[in-house]
């Protein structure tokens, strides 16, 4: 039975055949078994099978899910009742990625579903709306409306079939109704619909509605005798309120109600520029005959549109009175938060726990010095209260200000109790030195906390000294560390020391927290598994071992290997490009036993490996039947090569033709791939579907799109302008198209296509309202940045007059400031400096000017610098002279070592920081793994002699950034044993220049590290790899009896009768 079930797990097509051929009674048993969660066990004579475990495992296999999906459509409605089949279909679809719902699904659905089953199935499709392609949405809409029209009592073209109930059934699919259909809806029916209690909830989810359809719905609602200016009606409009256009003679109270409802408009897909215009108009009406101070609390999130001058005109009392509104608004710019926080604190006079608890999102505008000056008791209350949820939004300097004050009066013996008060991600700011202060530690303290790797290494080692037994330690970690963060601190020696049974029992814990592990830890897990139970080893772990171990995967085990590897991230498991090619060679060897990727099941099996297939396979090796599923997977590939992109583009042209012939649905479905096409090819899309194209472009935030694509976005926005391009009449700007606020909002990264002249010709109000958006554009060239800087000087005056909120708002524009301009800035606040040091492209001269400007304007000497000053100064610390660095106080340096260890300073500066680290952590030859990890790039300041003295087992705990920073002449002094012990991640960080300095023996050692060779302390490895296979006999403790038994009850029904 085990062998039979195992085969079906890895050959889901045969499972499908079994379920097609089995008799109705056994089919019913299989489906019922899937449906009934209450049935946990199945007894077959003297064998008891755990159905719950099997069911869960089955539903984790994409191929099994697809088989169940297909057989449910083919047979279920003939054997079971429709309601049961709909429930099964819903369960299966929810487990899928959304790719199962293809346009042809409607052809497989029964045409005679009774009312309840139809409603339930429609509810499933509505739930999966966002995972459904545009073509499939259109097909499902047609199917739903076909059923609804058949059951409608409407007759004749003049009477609409759309009733209140049909609108409710359609749900989000109501946005697919045509303008004509909406216009024919009976006033009585639309009135009934709006009267439904759940109408607002439904209208709150029509994220993809267009202005035309929204206006059509608003018109029909208005025709049904609803008063469109009545507060109750406005509350029922959902996202339709975002397109409210009846502003004539609107009174201020109604405008305020509309603004309050428009908070939800940020969820709409597109049309944000029009919404901002509507909000601005409503803001004008809402404040008519009243001052801004009087209405501030009634303007909802429209206050985000207030300019600096408007915010600065507010009285502290008005801000205080409106704080309950202001503290919940999302979308504030940092500069606005600074102004409002200052106004609020001007009224409150001092910073107390109560005041801070009222600030919400505005807490980020409180200065670092003010946070540091808080009474410690108030600060402790902040850390223990719900206010702590806003602490991760503070800048690193502000966070350090809070932590340094918190630790200031904490006695050494109180460290453990103090650590309890530091919650979540904020705990990552606690220094290794502060953890050292506590000699005894309880793992329960770590609940819900996030850890840096250096913290985890230290804490796990500390706990291991008190627990002594590795098995008990890991058990307590699993029990008390809900976030799994402490797993970052498990060293190879801990893994090796675990007993066989304990390792196999707890491996699931490591697997569930794989994203928290380093590549070196995964490599250690692989070696341990290989040593103790290679027959049950998860196949993806083989990829982390030397490439020759891949030969141990026989052809019969190719499918489990591909499935396991496809569920992982290959770029994380294998960092060396040469080894990755070998792994992919094995993948192709396994894949092409059948010569091609033949169907959707093969795509399911490959999973994330799709992204790594050679271009030739993408173009010619995927059959048309498999292409739709493959394309769905390729959407998520973040880093396709130019050859892969070209192959996908040719395949898309082959299937869909030239873009000029595409429909709106095709354009939506191929959205992520539009960057593959030339500007000429995209021009027809930008003309036919400008909103779809611009909306697609706005989602591309993971990587910077190609320049040609950005130009297409730019031209699309220019061509779809509501008004004719205006020209600035000022000298030198005649005929120049001036950026408007609408343009800047729609263009996002495509703002990089403006000429410097256009940016300089921008209207002052446009610049003021959009300076922060422009400051976030990554693609601006130096001439463009200089033009924007000159615009800032035109608007605000010379840099000497700029205030903190001006400087903070500049973002990358500040990079255009030359050294003399930087010297003019008021840099007395570390928060101003911290905003500048967020940029990483400063020249050494600019960095020196910022550093000197802070010291001169603040009046501090280097000896006076607090830890939060060091954090705020960031990379400008690299501009310090060698004679200045020793002046930094050790007491301040030691608590921000991890922050300073992220800086890429010169070798001389790193060497000086290393000398300070010696004062904190002692002799480098006695440094531990946690110390090396904490130091980051500072460890690159070690001398040749110190580096040679380090134990080889510490080499994996250098950070990759430190390895890169090691001077070539120092790196070559490492012994072959030390280099072989670097681990895969650090070995991959070795630069070409460093590699060229190595001897032949050292290069061989480096290759061993890249390959994932066994740690030198585990030298009992066999010289040759022996075959790996999935077991069909009893497995060691903690390992499921058989992977095949994960398949689920449908497979049990498919087992031949002789086995029952």
């Amino acid at each position: 039975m085990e062998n039979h079930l195992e085969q079906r797990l890895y050959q889901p097509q045969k499972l499908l055949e079994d379920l097609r051929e089995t008799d109705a009674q056994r089919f019913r048993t299989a489906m019922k078994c899937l449906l009934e969660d209450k049935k946990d066990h199945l007894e077959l004579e003297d064998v008891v099978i755990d159905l719950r475990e099997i069911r869960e495992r089955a539903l984790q296999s994409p191929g099994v899910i697809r088989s169940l999906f297909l057989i449910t459509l083919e047979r279920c409605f003939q054997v079971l009742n429709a309601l049961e089949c709909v429930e099964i279909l819903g369960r299966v679809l929810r487990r899928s990625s959304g790719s199962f719902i293809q346009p042809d699904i409607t052809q497989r659905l029964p045409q005679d579903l009774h009312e309840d089953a139809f409603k339930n199935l429609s509810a499933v499709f509505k739930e999966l709306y966002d995972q459904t392609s545009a073509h499939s949405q259109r097909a499902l809409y047609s199917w739903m409306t076909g059923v609804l029209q058949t059951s409608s009592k409407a007759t004749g073209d003049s009477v609409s079939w759309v009733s209140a109930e049909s609108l409710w059934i359609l749900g989000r699919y109501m946005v697919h109704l045509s303008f004509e259909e909406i216009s024919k809806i009976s006033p009585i029916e639309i009135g009934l619909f709006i009267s439904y209690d759940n109408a607002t909830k439904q209208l709150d989810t029509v994220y993809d509605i267009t202005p035309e359809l929204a206006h059509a719905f608003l018109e029909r609602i208005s025709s049904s005798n609803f008063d469109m200016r009545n507060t109750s009606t406005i509350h029922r409009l959902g996202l339709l309120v975002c397109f409210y256009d009846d502003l004539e003679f609107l009174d201020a109270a109604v405008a305020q109600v509309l603004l309050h409802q428009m908070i939800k408009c940020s969820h709409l897909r597109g049309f944000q520029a029009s919404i901002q215009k509507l909000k601005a108009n409503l803001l004008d009406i809402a404040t008519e005959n009243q001052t801004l101070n009087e209405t501030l609390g009634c303007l909802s999130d429209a206050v985000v549109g207030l300019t600096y001058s408007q915010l600065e005109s507010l009285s502290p009392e008005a801000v205080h009175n409106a704080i309950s509104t202001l503290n919940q608004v999302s979308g504030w710019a940092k500069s606005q938060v600074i102004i409002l926080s200052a106004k609020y604190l001007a009224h409150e006079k001092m910073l107390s726990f109560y005041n801070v608890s009222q600030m919400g999102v505005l807490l980020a505008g409180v200065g670092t010095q003010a946070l540091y000056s808080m009474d410690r008791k108030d600060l402790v209350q902040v850390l223990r209260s719900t206010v702590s949820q806003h602490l991760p939004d503070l800048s690193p300097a502000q966070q350090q200000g809070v932590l340094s004050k918190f630790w200031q009066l904490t006695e050494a013996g109180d460290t453990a109790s103090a650590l309890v008060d530091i919650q979540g991600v904020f705990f990552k700011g606690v220094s290794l030195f502060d953890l050292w202060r506590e000699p005894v530690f309880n793992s329960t303290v770590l609940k819900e906390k996030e850890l840096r790797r250096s913290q985890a290494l230290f804490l796990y080692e500390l706990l291991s000294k008190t627990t002594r037994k590795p098995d008990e330690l890991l058990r307590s970690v699993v029990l008390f560390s809900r976030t799994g963060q402490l797993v970052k601190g498990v060293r190879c020696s801990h893994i090796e020391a675990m007993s066989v049974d304990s390792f196999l029992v707890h491996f699931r814990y490591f697997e569930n927290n794989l994203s928290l592990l380093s590549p070196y830890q995964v490599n250690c897990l692989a070696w341990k598994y290989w040593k103790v139970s290679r027959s049950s080893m998860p196949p993806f772990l083989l990829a982390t071992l030397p490439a020759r171990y891949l030969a141990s995967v026989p052809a019969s085990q190719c499918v489990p290997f591909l499935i396991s590897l496809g569920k992982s991230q290959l770029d994380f498991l294998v960092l060396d490009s040469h080894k990755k090619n070998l792994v992919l060679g094995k993948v192709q060897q396994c894949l092409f036993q059948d010569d091609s990727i033949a169907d959707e099941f093969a795509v399911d099996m490959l999973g994330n490996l799709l992204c790594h297939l050679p271009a030739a396979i993408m173009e010619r090796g995927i059959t048309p039947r498999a292409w739709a599923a493959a394309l769905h997977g390729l959407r998520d590939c973040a880093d396709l090569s130019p050859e892969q992109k070209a192959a996908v583009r040719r395949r898309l042209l082959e299937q869909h033709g030239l873009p000029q012939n595409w429909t709106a649905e095709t354009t939506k479905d191929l959205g992520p791939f539009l960057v593959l096409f030339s500007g000429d090819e995209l021009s027809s899309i930008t003309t036919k579907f400008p909103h779809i194209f611009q909306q697609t472009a706005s989602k591309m935030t993971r990587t910077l799109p190609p320049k040609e694509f950005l130009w297409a976005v730019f031209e699309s926005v220019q061509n779809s302008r509501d008004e004719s391009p205006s020209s600035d009449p000022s000298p030198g700007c005649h005929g120049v198209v001036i950026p408007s606020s609408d343009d800047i909002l729609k263009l996002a990264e495509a703002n990089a296509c403006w000429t410097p002249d256009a940016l300089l010709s921008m209207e002052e109000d446009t610049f003021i309202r959009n300076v922060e958006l422009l400051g976030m554009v990554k693609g601006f060239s130096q001439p463009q940045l200089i033009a924007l800087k000159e615009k800032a000087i035109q608007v605000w005056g010379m840099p000497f007059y700029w205030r903190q909120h001006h400087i903070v708002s500049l973002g990358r524009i500040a990079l255009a400031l030359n050294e003399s301009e930087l010297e003019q800035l008021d840099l007395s606040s570390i928060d101003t400096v911290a905003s500048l040091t967020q940029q990483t492209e400063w020249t050494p001269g600019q960095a020196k000017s910022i550093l000197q400007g802070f010291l001169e304007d603040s009046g501090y000497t280097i000896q006076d610098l607090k830890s939060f000053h060091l954090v705020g100064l960031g990379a400008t610390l690299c501009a310090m002279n060698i004679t200045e660095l020793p002046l930094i106080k050790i007491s301040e340096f030691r608590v921000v070592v991890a922050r300073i260890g992220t800086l890429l300073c010169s070798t001389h500066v790193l060497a000086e920081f290393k000398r300070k680290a010696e004062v904190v952590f002692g002799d480098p030859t006695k440094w531990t793994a946690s110390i090396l990890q904490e130091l980051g790039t500072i460890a690159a300041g070690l001398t040749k002699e110190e580096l040679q003295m380090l134990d080889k087992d510490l080499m994996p705990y250098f950070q990759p950034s430190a390895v890169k920073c090691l001077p070539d002449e120092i790196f070559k002094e490492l012994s072959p044993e030390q280099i072989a012990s670097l681990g895969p991640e650090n070995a991959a960080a070795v630069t070409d220049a460093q590699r060229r300095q190595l001897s032949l023996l050292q290069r061989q050692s480096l290759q061993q590290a890249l390959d994932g060779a066994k740690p030198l302390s585990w030298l009992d490895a066999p010289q040759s790899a022996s075959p790996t296979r999935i077991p069909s006999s009893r497995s060691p403790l903690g390992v499921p009896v058989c992977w095949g038994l994960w398949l689920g009850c449908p497979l049990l029904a498919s087992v031949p009768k002789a086995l029952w």
Side-chain angles (χ1 to χ4, degrees), residues 230-363:
N230 179 277
T231 300
S232 176
T233 303
I234 292 171
H235 283 168
R236 290 176 173 274
L237 294 178
L239 290 175
L240 299 182
V241 78
C242 308
F243 304 95
Y244 193 98
D245 58 357
D246 183 17
L247 303 188
E248 192 174 2
F249 307 121
L250 196 70
D251 64 45
V254 176
Q256 291 172 11
V257 172
L258 285 165
L259 285 172
H260 181 71
Q261 289 299 302
M262 289 185 74
I263 287 180
K264 62 188 76 170
C265 294
S266 60
H267 298 303
L268 270 177
R269 291 172 188 164
F271 313 109
Q272 291 301 317
S274 302
I275 291 166
Q276 295 305 324
K277 271 187 180 178
L278 177 56
K279 283 185 178 181
N281 291 333
L282 289 170
L283 187 63
D284 290 340
I285 297 169
T287 55
E288 211 169 57
N289 302 321
Q290 298 179 81
T291 66
L292 200 51
N293 283 324
E294 293 170 326
T295 57
L296 185 62
C298 305
L299 303 180
S300 191
D301 69 343
V303 291
V304 169
L306 297 176
T307 63
Y308 301 146
S309 58
Q310 288 174 308
L311 292 174
E312 289 183 304
S313 71
L314 295 170
S315 68
E317 184 180 9
V319 174
H320 171 267
N321 293 337
I323 195 66
S324 61
T325 296
L326 302 176
N327 65 9
Q328 298 180 59
V329 170
S330 60
W332 288 117
K334 184 62 186 281
S335 53
Q336 292 176 310
V337 170
I338 289 170
I339 296 170
L340 288 169
S341 296
K343 293 282 184 183
Y344 178 72
L345 293 178
H347 180 273
E348 302 301 325
K349 308 303 181 190
M350 63 176 291
L351 203 58
S352 65
F353 167 68
Y354 174 77
N355 296 336
V356 168
S357 68
Q358 300 300 303
M359 296 188 74
V361 296
L362 298 184
L363 181 61

Side-chain angles (χ1 to χ4, degrees), residues 527-559:
W527 279 117
K528 178 71 173 182
Y529 225 128
W530 180 265
K531 178 180 178 182
V532 304
S533 184
R534 68 189 64 172
S535 63
S536 64
M537 183 176 182
F540 77 88
L541 289 178
L542 283 171
T544 73
L545 299 180
R548 68 179 184 276
Y549 283 75
L550 292 172
S552 69
V553 181
S556 61
Q557 295 301 310
C558 267
V559 174

Side-chain angles (χ1 to χ4, degrees), residues 861-936:
T861 63
I862 292 175
Q863 296 94 319
D864 298 328
L865 295 178
K866 298 286 186 185
S867 60
F868 53 83
H869 293 137
L870 297 175
V871 172
L873 285 167
T876 65
L877 292 174
C878 298
M880 277 192 179
N881 296 327
I882 299 301
T883 54
E884 294 173 322
L885 288 167
L887 301 177
I888 297 173
K889 285 183 179 177
I890 291 295
S891 60
E892 304 300 327
F893 170 82
R894 67 191 182 193
V895 294
V896 291
V897 166
R899 295 279 191 191
I900 294 174
T902 63
L903 304 179
L904 302 176
C905 299
S906 68
T907 303
H908 300 301
V909 170
L910 292 177
E912 195 56 52
F913 280 135
K914 188 273 302 182
R915 281 188 273 277
K916 300 189 83 64
E918 287 184 68
V919 180
V920 179
F921 298 116
D923 185 347
T925 60
K926 296 189 171 95
W927 284 354
T928 62
S930 59
I931 293 173
L932 273 178
Q933 188 70 205
E934 180 86 347
L935 290 174

Side-chain angles (χ1 to χ4, degrees), residues 15-27:
L15 166 63
L16 182 59
E17 290 172 14
D18 289 342
L19 291 173
R20 280 171 175 161
E21 294 169 3
T22 191
D23 60 59
Q25 181 58 44
R26 295 175 73 194
F27 181 83

Side-chain angles (χ1 to χ4, degrees), residues 36-145:
E36 294 174 3
D37 284 343
K38 294 178 182 177
K39 191 167 184 178
D40 292 337
H41 296 89
L42 181 66
E43 295 186 15
L44 302 175
E45 297 181 4
D46 59 343
V47 178
V48 178
I49 299 177
D50 184 345
L51 291 182
R52 174 176 290 182
E53 176 75 5
I54 291 171
R55 188 184 295 118
E56 283 305 306
R57 295 298 180 183
L59 295 178
Q60 289 178 14
S61 167
V64 171
I65 295 273
R66 190 178 291 278
S67 292
L68 295 175
F69 168 70
L70 293 173
I71 200 63
T72 302
L73 289 175
E74 288 180 25
R75 286 198 69 186
C76 186
F77 290 94
Q78 301 166 18
V79 178
L80 275 67
N81 73 59
L83 283 174
E84 290 176 325
C85 293
V86 167
E87 186 172 350
I88 292 172
L89 199 56
R91 289 191 181 198
V92 171
L93 285 173
R94 289 184 190 99
R95 294 275 186 158
S96 76
S97 61
S99 62
F100 289 3
I101 305 179
Q102 294 295 324
D104 64 355
I105 188 176
T106 58
Q107 299 167 22
R108 308 182 187 186
L109 293 172
Q111 298 302 310
D112 56 350
L113 278 179
H114 62 74
E115 185 177 357
D116 288 344
F118 169 70
K119 287 181 179 179
N120 289 357
L121 187 53
S122 297
V124 171
F125 292 141
K126 287 186 287 185
E127 183 183 335
L128 298 171
Y129 186 91
D130 286 324
Q131 289 81 49
T132 306
S133 70
H135 276 105
S136 299
Q137 285 178 4
R138 175 58 64 180
L140 288 171
Y141 166 77
S142 297
W143 173 76
M144 292 165 72
T145 54

